[in-house]
Amino acid sequence: MTKGTKYLGPLSKETLEVARKELREDDRTRDDALEQLRDWIAKNPRIISCRTDDSFLLRFLRFKKFSLPMTQEALERYLLLRQTIAQAFHNLDFYLPRMEYLINNGYLFATPGRDKLGRRWIVGRPGVFDPHKFINEDMCRVHGIVYETLMEDEENQVRGFVHFADGAGVTFPYLTLFTPKEAVRIAKNGERTLPMRHKEVHAINIPSSLKYVLEWAMSLVSEKIQKRVKIYTSLEEATKSIDTNMLPKEYGGKMPMAEMIELFKKELEAARPTLLSHDEMKVKLELFSEGAKVGAVSALKNNSCNPFKNDVLSGSFRKLEVD
């Protein structure tokens, strides 16, 4: 898209108006920002290769409300995070057996359609994730597959997401997947780096034995996100406050969960070639180690962000035990 041309993207007039009000986006701002961001990428010695199409760049611009410096920082963080912990964020292929198992069993998926505010809903069922069979790499990868697929849609970039989590089946061994230090890094990078607009978070069936962990986790995210999280004592209580039409039949909706998952798998399949192509994006890691402010990712320099290198795991993953 050249400067001065009218935006020909997929957004409806209604969504473009939301973007204007909430994100400061209009034709002129969009054109100027895309041109400047592409020029910055081309001249940035730290970036070897990066997608430069409208949809990819706009996800970061919209995430940072068209602040170019903040967008540049977020994009660099994103590229560096992907490369530094490649074993979790490369090969985002939902056909991998472990990924297929988690998706097919409803660990994480997006329900079809949009709510009255145009948002997609993401259902998370962490109890499906057996910490004795799967490893933290699997958890990071399946989240990457789902989130990256959804971020390809520009409507989602503007409208954002509603999360619904069912904590049934979560047990104490889950706490062994990540150390506290790793959890802090994941929480902070997740909010600051992944270009997603989290509008609401609803959770049910939180085990009482793990509530103190949830309280600690809440302290890691911004006050803005904290205010958007609602914890319910039961599904019945939750259904009084949320749009059950967006949920599977098992949670008060109309469509069975299995049907929703099959529909979402079609989205995953359509996005699969693009997600796999992301492995071609690269940065020069050695240029991220000089000075506290280099690339605005000083917290990630020298591979210190790698959540899989620590005293407990000694740089390796626990062996996957398959029945």
Side-chain angles (χ1 to χ4, degrees), residues 42-86:
K43 296 177 180 178
N44 191 334
R46 294 181 289 273
I47 297 177
I48 298 174
S49 58
C50 178
R51 278 178 61 180
T52 57
D53 57 281
D54 287 0
S55 178
F56 181 75
L57 298 183
L58 283 170
R59 70 170 70 170
F60 294 94
L61 287 164
R62 287 164 174 155
F63 179 52
K64 294 302 181 181
K65 298 185 178 181
F66 284 82
S67 165
L68 193 60
M70 294 177 69
T71 298
Q72 292 168 344
E73 176 183 347
L75 180 55
E76 277 196 340
R77 283 183 179 275
Y78 170 88
L79 294 173
L80 185 58
L81 184 66
R82 281 184 48 83
Q83 189 166 329
T84 306
I85 46 178

Tab-separated table of all heavy atoms in Angstrom, residues 42-86:
chain	number	residue	atom	x	y	z
A	42	ALA	N	13.639	-2.064	7.156
A	42	ALA	CA	14.636	-2.212	6.097
A	42	ALA	C	16.009	-1.709	6.535
A	42	ALA	O	17.044	-2.249	6.129
A	42	ALA	CB	14.176	-1.471	4.845
A	43	LYS	N	16.028	-0.683	7.373
A	43	LYS	CA	17.288	-0.076	7.794
A	43	LYS	C	17.778	-0.583	9.144
A	43	LYS	O	18.880	-0.201	9.571
A	43	LYS	CB	17.130	1.448	7.854
A	43	LYS	CG	16.839	2.085	6.495
A	43	LYS	CD	16.625	3.579	6.627
A	43	LYS	CE	16.343	4.233	5.266
A	43	LYS	NZ	16.082	5.685	5.396
A	44	ASN	N	17.013	-1.415	9.810
A	44	ASN	CA	17.365	-1.883	11.150
A	44	ASN	C	18.409	-2.988	11.046
A	44	ASN	O	18.111	-4.087	10.557
A	44	ASN	CB	16.115	-2.407	11.859
A	44	ASN	CG	16.345	-2.674	13.333
A	44	ASN	OD1	17.468	-2.941	13.760
A	44	ASN	ND2	15.284	-2.606	14.123
A	45	PRO	N	19.618	-2.768	11.515
A	45	PRO	CA	20.669	-3.788	11.407
A	45	PRO	C	20.392	-5.028	12.258
A	45	PRO	O	21.002	-6.076	12.040
A	45	PRO	CB	21.923	-3.056	11.897
A	45	PRO	CG	21.401	-2.000	12.815
A	45	PRO	CD	20.101	-1.547	12.206
A	46	ARG	N	19.490	-4.914	13.234
A	46	ARG	CA	19.190	-6.053	14.095
A	46	ARG	C	18.237	-7.052	13.434
A	46	ARG	O	18.157	-8.195	13.847
A	46	ARG	CB	18.611	-5.564	15.424
A	46	ARG	CG	19.588	-4.765	16.271
A	46	ARG	CD	18.971	-4.329	17.578
A	46	ARG	NE	17.964	-3.301	17.383
A	46	ARG	CZ	18.221	-1.998	17.328
A	46	ARG	NH1	19.465	-1.564	17.446
A	46	ARG	NH2	17.263	-1.122	17.157
A	47	ILE	N	17.498	-6.589	12.436
A	47	ILE	CA	16.504	-7.449	11.791
A	47	ILE	C	17.050	-7.999	10.485
A	47	ILE	O	17.388	-7.247	9.571
A	47	ILE	CB	15.191	-6.682	11.538
A	47	ILE	CG1	14.575	-6.237	12.872
A	47	ILE	CG2	14.205	-7.556	10.765
A	47	ILE	CD1	13.308	-5.407	12.723
A	48	ILE	N	17.133	-9.322	10.391
A	48	ILE	CA	17.590	-9.979	9.167
A	48	ILE	C	16.431	-10.146	8.198
A	48	ILE	O	16.539	-9.812	7.016
A	48	ILE	CB	18.209	-11.355	9.490
A	48	ILE	CG1	19.437	-11.184	10.397
A	48	ILE	CG2	18.586	-12.094	8.204
A	48	ILE	CD1	20.015	-12.505	10.879
A	49	SER	N	15.321	-10.668	8.688
A	49	SER	CA	14.140	-10.842	7.840
A	49	SER	C	12.886	-10.751	8.690
A	49	SER	O	12.861	-11.192	9.847
A	49	SER	CB	14.190	-12.187	7.117
A	49	SER	OG	14.265	-13.255	8.040
A	50	CYS	N	11.840	-10.168	8.106
A	50	CYS	CA	10.596	-9.944	8.838
A	50	CYS	C	9.469	-9.725	7.842
A	50	CYS	O	9.682	-9.124	6.778
A	50	CYS	CB	10.738	-8.717	9.754
A	50	CYS	SG	9.237	-8.282	10.672
A	51	ARG	N	8.296	-10.211	8.163
A	51	ARG	CA	7.127	-9.916	7.331
A	51	ARG	C	6.882	-8.418	7.293
A	51	ARG	O	7.020	-7.737	8.315
A	51	ARG	CB	5.887	-10.609	7.904
A	51	ARG	CG	5.727	-12.056	7.540
A	51	ARG	CD	4.489	-12.652	8.197
A	51	ARG	NE	3.243	-12.013	7.792
A	51	ARG	CZ	2.034	-12.361	8.244
A	51	ARG	NH1	1.925	-13.329	9.155
A	51	ARG	NH2	0.948	-11.736	7.819
A	52	THR	N	6.487	-7.915	6.130
A	52	THR	CA	6.208	-6.477	6.012
A	52	THR	C	4.848	-6.216	5.369
A	52	THR	O	4.564	-5.098	4.950
A	52	THR	CB	7.301	-5.771	5.189
A	52	THR	OG1	7.402	-6.371	3.894
A	52	THR	CG2	8.650	-5.823	5.890
A	53	ASP	N	3.998	-7.236	5.282
A	53	ASP	CA	2.663	-7.018	4.728
A	53	ASP	C	1.810	-6.218	5.707
A	53	ASP	O	2.089	-6.161	6.906
A	53	ASP	CB	2.000	-8.352	4.401
A	53	ASP	CG	1.921	-9.268	5.619
A	53	ASP	OD1	2.940	-9.893	5.961
A	53	ASP	OD2	0.849	-9.324	6.237
A	54	ASP	N	0.763	-5.601	5.184
A	54	ASP	CA	-0.095	-4.738	5.995
A	54	ASP	C	-0.610	-5.433	7.254
A	54	ASP	O	-0.511	-4.902	8.364
A	54	ASP	CB	-1.304	-4.264	5.174
A	54	ASP	CG	-0.934	-3.220	4.142
A	54	ASP	OD1	0.252	-2.855	4.054
A	54	ASP	OD2	-1.837	-2.767	3.408
A	55	SER	N	-1.203	-6.607	7.071
A	55	SER	CA	-1.853	-7.280	8.191
A	55	SER	C	-0.885	-7.559	9.331
A	55	SER	O	-1.223	-7.335	10.501
A	55	SER	CB	-2.484	-8.596	7.717
A	55	SER	OG	-3.076	-9.280	8.801
A	56	PHE	N	0.320	-8.012	9.012
A	56	PHE	CA	1.290	-8.330	10.060
A	56	PHE	C	1.729	-7.077	10.797
A	56	PHE	O	1.757	-7.052	12.036
A	56	PHE	CB	2.500	-9.029	9.447
A	56	PHE	CG	3.547	-9.416	10.459
A	56	PHE	CD1	3.351	-10.504	11.294
A	56	PHE	CD2	4.719	-8.681	10.588
A	56	PHE	CE1	4.315	-10.862	12.236
A	56	PHE	CE2	5.678	-9.033	11.527
A	56	PHE	CZ	5.472	-10.124	12.354
A	57	LEU	N	2.067	-6.027	10.067
A	57	LEU	CA	2.538	-4.801	10.718
A	57	LEU	C	1.414	-4.107	11.478
A	57	LEU	O	1.645	-3.528	12.547
A	57	LEU	CB	3.145	-3.859	9.676
A	57	LEU	CG	4.368	-4.389	8.934
A	57	LEU	CD1	4.911	-3.324	7.986
A	57	LEU	CD2	5.461	-4.838	9.902
A	58	LEU	N	0.208	-4.180	10.950
A	58	LEU	CA	-0.906	-3.506	11.611
A	58	LEU	C	-1.250	-4.129	12.958
A	58	LEU	O	-1.741	-3.444	13.855
A	58	LEU	CB	-2.141	-3.510	10.709
A	58	LEU	CG	-2.118	-2.491	9.565
A	58	LEU	CD1	-3.262	-2.744	8.588
A	58	LEU	CD2	-2.205	-1.065	10.113
A	59	ARG	N	-0.966	-5.419	13.121
A	59	ARG	CA	-1.270	-6.022	14.422
A	59	ARG	C	-0.457	-5.362	15.524
A	59	ARG	O	-0.935	-5.191	16.648
A	59	ARG	CB	-1.027	-7.541	14.408
A	59	ARG	CG	0.421	-7.962	14.337
A	59	ARG	CD	0.612	-9.456	14.577
A	59	ARG	NE	0.123	-10.272	13.489
A	59	ARG	CZ	0.350	-11.585	13.397
A	59	ARG	NH1	1.059	-12.201	14.335
A	59	ARG	NH2	-0.110	-12.275	12.388
A	60	PHE	N	0.778	-4.946	15.220
A	60	PHE	CA	1.622	-4.282	16.211
A	60	PHE	C	1.254	-2.806	16.351
A	60	PHE	O	1.243	-2.266	17.457
A	60	PHE	CB	3.095	-4.436	15.832
A	60	PHE	CG	3.581	-5.849	15.899
A	60	PHE	CD1	3.593	-6.664	14.779
A	60	PHE	CD2	4.015	-6.391	17.105
A	60	PHE	CE1	4.019	-7.974	14.847
A	60	PHE	CE2	4.445	-7.698	17.188
A	60	PHE	CZ	4.444	-8.504	16.049
A	61	LEU	N	0.948	-2.155	15.238
A	61	LEU	CA	0.548	-0.747	15.291
A	61	LEU	C	-0.748	-0.590	16.077
A	61	LEU	O	-0.892	0.336	16.889
A	61	LEU	CB	0.388	-0.190	13.877
A	61	LEU	CG	1.692	0.047	13.112
A	61	LEU	CD1	1.428	0.224	11.618
A	61	LEU	CD2	2.405	1.288	13.663
A	62	ARG	N	-1.692	-1.472	15.843
A	62	ARG	CA	-2.956	-1.400	16.573
A	62	ARG	C	-2.774	-1.745	18.041
A	62	ARG	O	-3.404	-1.154	18.925
A	62	ARG	CB	-3.969	-2.335	15.911
A	62	ARG	CG	-4.473	-1.802	14.575
A	62	ARG	CD	-5.159	-2.847	13.723
A	62	ARG	NE	-5.741	-2.240	12.528
A	62	ARG	CZ	-5.969	-2.892	11.394
A	62	ARG	NH1	-5.658	-4.171	11.285
A	62	ARG	NH2	-6.502	-2.262	10.366
A	63	PHE	N	-1.902	-2.695	18.312
A	63	PHE	CA	-1.601	-3.108	19.682
A	63	PHE	C	-1.069	-1.939	20.492
A	63	PHE	O	-1.375	-1.798	21.689
A	63	PHE	CB	-0.582	-4.246	19.616
A	63	PHE	CG	-0.143	-4.789	20.942
A	63	PHE	CD1	-1.060	-5.200	21.901
A	63	PHE	CD2	1.206	-4.931	21.229
A	63	PHE	CE1	-0.639	-5.725	23.120
A	63	PHE	CE2	1.629	-5.456	22.435
A	63	PHE	CZ	0.704	-5.849	23.381
A	64	LYS	N	-0.289	-1.072	19.844
A	64	LYS	CA	0.319	0.077	20.522
A	64	LYS	C	-0.333	1.396	20.122
A	64	LYS	O	0.255	2.464	20.296
A	64	LYS	CB	1.817	0.120	20.223
A	64	LYS	CG	2.580	-1.060	20.815
A	64	LYS	CD	2.397	-1.136	22.339
A	64	LYS	CE	3.179	-2.288	22.947
A	64	LYS	NZ	2.973	-2.360	24.421
A	65	LYS	N	-1.548	1.313	19.614
A	65	LYS	CA	-2.347	2.498	19.280
A	65	LYS	C	-1.572	3.487	18.414
A	65	LYS	O	-1.622	4.701	18.615
A	65	LYS	CB	-2.877	3.166	20.551
A	65	LYS	CG	-3.804	2.251	21.353
A	65	LYS	CD	-4.431	2.948	22.537
A	65	LYS	CE	-5.379	1.992	23.261
A	65	LYS	NZ	-6.043	2.626	24.422
A	66	PHE	N	-0.825	2.946	17.448
A	66	PHE	CA	-0.120	3.698	16.423
A	66	PHE	C	0.983	4.607	16.975
A	66	PHE	O	1.361	5.589	16.339
A	66	PHE	CB	-1.095	4.476	15.541
A	66	PHE	CG	-1.794	3.568	14.566
A	66	PHE	CD1	-2.892	2.830	14.951
A	66	PHE	CD2	-1.333	3.444	13.262
A	66	PHE	CE1	-3.518	1.957	14.062
A	66	PHE	CE2	-1.944	2.578	12.371
A	66	PHE	CZ	-3.041	1.833	12.761
A	67	SER	N	1.501	4.257	18.150
A	67	SER	CA	2.721	4.902	18.633
A	67	SER	C	3.883	4.180	17.957
A	67	SER	O	4.131	3.003	18.246
A	67	SER	CB	2.833	4.780	20.150
A	67	SER	OG	4.150	5.087	20.575
A	68	LEU	N	4.585	4.859	17.074
A	68	LEU	CA	5.643	4.200	16.316
A	68	LEU	C	6.778	3.683	17.204
A	68	LEU	O	7.202	2.533	17.039
A	68	LEU	CB	6.181	5.139	15.235
A	68	LEU	CG	7.069	4.477	14.170
A	68	LEU	CD1	6.304	3.388	13.431
A	68	LEU	CD2	7.581	5.517	13.187
A	69	PRO	N	7.294	4.471	18.156
A	69	PRO	CA	8.367	3.946	19.014
A	69	PRO	C	7.944	2.712	19.801
A	69	PRO	O	8.703	1.746	19.922
A	69	PRO	CB	8.682	5.120	19.949
A	69	PRO	CG	8.255	6.338	19.192
A	69	PRO	CD	7.033	5.902	18.443
A	70	MET	N	6.719	2.715	20.331
A	70	MET	CA	6.240	1.561	21.094
A	70	MET	C	6.006	0.361	20.189
A	70	MET	O	6.228	-0.790	20.577
A	70	MET	CB	4.960	1.934	21.849
A	70	MET	CG	5.167	2.970	22.938
A	70	MET	SD	3.627	3.450	23.768
A	70	MET	CE	3.245	1.936	24.652
A	71	THR	N	5.569	0.624	18.962
A	71	THR	CA	5.377	-0.455	17.989
A	71	THR	C	6.709	-1.092	17.630
A	71	THR	O	6.833	-2.324	17.554
A	71	THR	CB	4.697	0.077	16.718
A	71	THR	OG1	3.398	0.587	17.044
A	71	THR	CG2	4.552	-1.013	15.675
A	72	GLN	N	7.707	-0.278	17.395
A	72	GLN	CA	9.038	-0.791	17.062
A	72	GLN	C	9.581	-1.658	18.194
A	72	GLN	O	10.161	-2.730	17.968
A	72	GLN	CB	9.983	0.372	16.769
A	72	GLN	CG	9.635	1.132	15.486
A	72	GLN	CD	10.391	2.442	15.350
A	72	GLN	OE1	10.950	2.953	16.318
A	72	GLN	NE2	10.399	3.001	14.151
A	73	GLU	N	9.393	-1.186	19.418
A	73	GLU	CA	9.850	-1.955	20.583
A	73	GLU	C	9.132	-3.298	20.659
A	73	GLU	O	9.756	-4.350	20.869
A	73	GLU	CB	9.608	-1.168	21.869
A	73	GLU	CG	9.978	-1.941	23.130
A	73	GLU	CD	9.662	-1.160	24.402
A	73	GLU	OE1	9.395	0.050	24.314
A	73	GLU	OE2	9.693	-1.779	25.471
A	74	ALA	N	7.800	-3.278	20.479
A	74	ALA	CA	7.023	-4.513	20.564
A	74	ALA	C	7.408	-5.493	19.460
A	74	ALA	O	7.510	-6.702	19.697
A	74	ALA	CB	5.526	-4.198	20.486
A	75	LEU	N	7.645	-4.989	18.260
A	75	LEU	CA	8.014	-5.855	17.148
A	75	LEU	C	9.373	-6.504	17.380
A	75	LEU	O	9.559	-7.699	17.138
A	75	LEU	CB	8.019	-5.062	15.837
A	75	LEU	CG	8.399	-5.838	14.568
A	75	LEU	CD1	7.517	-7.070	14.388
A	75	LEU	CD2	8.301	-4.928	13.347
A	76	GLU	N	10.325	-5.720	17.867
A	76	GLU	CA	11.640	-6.294	18.165
A	76	GLU	C	11.552	-7.330	19.272
A	76	GLU	O	12.188	-8.382	19.215
A	76	GLU	CB	12.632	-5.186	18.545
A	76	GLU	CG	13.256	-4.491	17.351
A	76	GLU	CD	14.484	-3.695	17.748
A	76	GLU	OE1	14.626	-3.372	18.943
A	76	GLU	OE2	15.297	-3.398	16.856
A	77	ARG	N	10.789	-7.031	20.306
A	77	ARG	CA	10.619	-7.988	21.394
A	77	ARG	C	10.027	-9.291	20.857
A	77	ARG	O	10.451	-10.392	21.223
A	77	ARG	CB	9.688	-7.421	22.472
A	77	ARG	CG	10.325	-6.393	23.397
A	77	ARG	CD	9.323	-5.973	24.465
A	77	ARG	NE	9.893	-5.008	25.385
A	77	ARG	CZ	10.610	-5.319	26.451
A	77	ARG	NH1	10.846	-6.593	26.720
A	77	ARG	NH2	11.086	-4.384	27.248
A	78	TYR	N	9.037	-9.157	20.013
A	78	TYR	CA	8.363	-10.319	19.433
A	78	TYR	C	9.334	-11.175	18.634
A	78	TYR	O	9.409	-12.398	18.825
A	78	TYR	CB	7.214	-9.828	18.555
A	78	TYR	CG	6.568	-10.879	17.691
A	78	TYR	CD1	5.511	-11.658	18.168
A	78	TYR	CD2	6.989	-11.076	16.376
A	78	TYR	CE1	4.905	-12.615	17.361
A	78	TYR	CE2	6.395	-12.023	15.569
A	78	TYR	CZ	5.346	-12.787	16.064
A	78	TYR	OH	4.758	-13.729	15.258
A	79	LEU	N	10.084	-10.551	17.738
A	79	LEU	CA	11.031	-11.288	16.900
A	79	LEU	C	12.115	-11.944	17.740
A	79	LEU	O	12.513	-13.090	17.498
A	79	LEU	CB	11.655	-10.352	15.865
A	79	LEU	CG	10.709	-9.778	14.807
A	79	LEU	CD1	11.442	-8.743	13.955
A	79	LEU	CD2	10.139	-10.879	13.922
A	80	LEU	N	12.588	-11.225	18.740
A	80	LEU	CA	13.645	-11.758	19.590
A	80	LEU	C	13.142	-12.915	20.448
A	80	LEU	O	13.819	-13.925	20.620
A	80	LEU	CB	14.219	-10.652	20.468
A	80	LEU	CG	15.419	-11.035	21.336
A	80	LEU	CD1	16.574	-11.548	20.500
A	80	LEU	CD2	15.866	-9.854	22.180
A	81	LEU	N	11.934	-12.765	20.981
A	81	LEU	CA	11.352	-13.817	21.809
A	81	LEU	C	11.183	-15.093	21.000
A	81	LEU	O	11.503	-16.190	21.458
A	81	LEU	CB	10.005	-13.360	22.372
A	81	LEU	CG	9.309	-14.323	23.340
A	81	LEU	CD1	10.117	-14.469	24.621
A	81	LEU	CD2	7.901	-13.833	23.645
A	82	ARG	N	10.669	-14.968	19.781
A	82	ARG	CA	10.476	-16.141	18.924
A	82	ARG	C	11.795	-16.866	18.680
A	82	ARG	O	11.854	-18.094	18.703
A	82	ARG	CB	9.893	-15.712	17.572
A	82	ARG	CG	8.406	-15.431	17.566
A	82	ARG	CD	7.958	-15.111	16.143
A	82	ARG	NE	8.475	-16.114	15.214
A	82	ARG	CZ	7.908	-17.300	14.990
A	82	ARG	NH1	6.782	-17.604	15.614
A	82	ARG	NH2	8.445	-18.163	14.162
A	83	GLN	N	12.850	-16.102	18.434
A	83	GLN	CA	14.120	-16.718	18.081
A	83	GLN	C	14.872	-17.243	19.299
A	83	GLN	O	15.543	-18.269	19.233
A	83	GLN	CB	14.991	-15.721	17.317
A	83	GLN	CG	16.243	-16.323	16.709
A	83	GLN	CD	16.875	-15.393	15.701
A	83	GLN	OE1	16.198	-14.621	15.027
A	83	GLN	NE2	18.196	-15.444	15.597
A	84	THR	N	14.761	-16.547	20.396
A	84	THR	CA	15.515	-16.926	21.588
A	84	THR	C	14.999	-18.221	22.195
A	84	THR	O	15.771	-19.037	22.702
A	84	THR	CB	15.472	-15.809	22.641
A	84	THR	OG1	15.903	-14.588	22.045
A	84	THR	CG2	16.380	-16.128	23.811
A	85	ILE	N	13.692	-18.399	22.183
A	85	ILE	CA	13.120	-19.661	22.668
A	85	ILE	C	12.406	-20.348	21.506
A	85	ILE	O	11.225	-20.648	21.546
A	85	ILE	CB	12.205	-19.454	23.888
A	85	ILE	CG1	11.243	-18.292	23.682
A	85	ILE	CG2	13.006	-19.268	25.135
A	85	ILE	CD1	10.306	-18.103	24.860
A	86	ALA	N	13.195	-20.621	20.469
A	86	ALA	CA	12.671	-21.200	19.238
A	86	ALA	C	12.026	-22.557	19.468
A	86	ALA	O	11.105	-22.940	18.746
A	86	ALA	CB	13.791	-21.320	18.198
